[in-house]
Amino acid sequence: MSQRFPATPHRMGLYPIVDSLEWISRLLDVGVRTLQLRIKDRPAAEVEPTIQQAIVLGNACQARLFINDYWQLAIKHQAYGVHLGQEDLEVADLEAIRRAGLRLGISTHDDDEINRALAVYPSYIALGHIFPTQTKLMPSSPQGLEQLKRHLARLENIPTVAIGGISIERAPAVLACGVGSIAVVSAITQAADWRDATQQLLALAGTGDEDHA
Ligand SMILES: Cc1ncc(COP(=O)(O)OP(=O)(O)O)c(N)n1
Ligand SMILES: Cc1ncsc1CCOP(=O)(O)O
Ligand SMILES: [Mg+2]
């Protein structure tokens, strides 16, 4: 019988996803408080120092730093949380993550995946991809805003995150659907002026600390 993973705020606001310690540090400096370190397909020994230092920085700022994929290292270095996809769920030791007190976010792309995710009582559910994205090769089609709204209607009691192709221009319409957080990669990392882009996105989505205000 599954137990719930620890809670996150219902609305986590702007949620940038980045692949280096430099980005984590920059984003914390400008006030981002929900973020993810996503390094793909490197040996654990190679990424451990980066993951460890990112967790130290995140914890020092009382930020919600999620570690993508490397759940053992997230446990070892006491991250705020872990983000896993559906395939990751097959192999990860969810009970170990829960026992260690880490939050868990899970990717979903359709109703069946949402059902599978809800069954493990995660901290949040990510819904994607909403729009076409250049950042990750996606086997499914973009969901669009109508599908997002339909999914959000059944997820009122759990924090939600929308991801995929969310730009500054598209963010208001995504947030108007009622999602609690917008996860972005290229809107920040490929922006001509990342500081300006981050400030604009923070103004639209918030930091996620508003629940405590
Ligand atoms: C917030 C958020 N949503 C979805 C993903 C994608 O996770 P996953 O499906 O495991 O794919 P990878 O990121 O591991 O390539 C995410 N990372 N964060
Ligand atoms: C990691 C991930 N998972 C689903 S879409 C995506 C990439 C989102 O990147 P962008 O914000 O640049 O479209
Ligand atoms: Mg993954």
Side-chain angles (χ1 to χ4, degrees), residues 40 68-69 85 88:
K40 291 302 294 180
N68 187 53
D69 292 353
D88 309 315

Side-chain angles (χ1 to χ4, degrees), residues 17 29 57-59 63 75 84 89 99 117 124 126 132 144 152 158 185 207 209:
I17 300 179
D29 278 353
L57 288 181
N59 288 346
I75 292 175
L84 296 177
L89 284 183
R99 256 199 325 272
Y124 74 77
L152 291 171
I158 180 163
V185 180
T207 62
D209 284 351

Side-chain angles (χ1 to χ4, degrees), residues 132-154:
T133 177
Q134 305 294 316
T135 305
K136 178 176 164 72
L137 196 60
M138 302 298 297
S140 52
S141 304
Q143 299 198 22
L145 295 177
E146 290 310 312
Q147 190 78 277
L148 173 64
K149 276 187 226 165
R150 195 175 68 73
H151 287 147
L152 291 171
R154 63 180 288 219

Side-chain angles (χ1 to χ4, degrees), residues 9 25 42 47 111-112 202 206:
S25 174
R42 309 301 310 163
V47 298
D111 287 296
D112 285 349
L202 277 174

Side-chain angles (χ1 to χ4, degrees), residues 2-71:
S2 279
Q3 290 183 40
R4 279 175 204 287
F5 280 82
T8 67
H10 197 69
R11 296 185 167 276
M12 293 196 290
L14 177 64
Y15 182 170
I17 300 179
V18 293
D19 62 1
S20 70
L21 198 56
E22 288 72 22
W23 273 114
I24 296 286
S25 174
R26 284 176 185 167
L27 292 171
L28 290 171
D29 278 353
V30 297
V32 168
R33 286 297 174 266
T34 306
L35 68 179
Q36 182 183 125
L37 180 64
R38 176 176 181 265
I39 301 173
K40 291 302 294 180
D41 304 326
R42 309 301 310 163
E46 181 184 317
V47 298
E48 182 165 4
T50 302
I51 288 178
Q52 178 175 17
Q53 290 171 63
I55 292 170
V56 168
L57 288 181
N59 288 346
C61 294
Q62 294 172 330
R64 292 170 287 276
L65 174 69
F66 291 89
I67 302 299
N68 187 53
D69 292 353
Y70 292 92
W71 56 272

Side-chain angles (χ1 to χ4, degrees), residues 27 56 80 97 102 113 118 121 123 132 136 138 166 189 194:
L27 292 171
V56 168
Y80 177 85
I97 298 170
L102 274 58
E113 291 187 0
L118 286 172
Y121 300 103
S123 310
K136 178 176 164 72
M138 302 298 297
I166 302 177
T189 61
W194 69 267

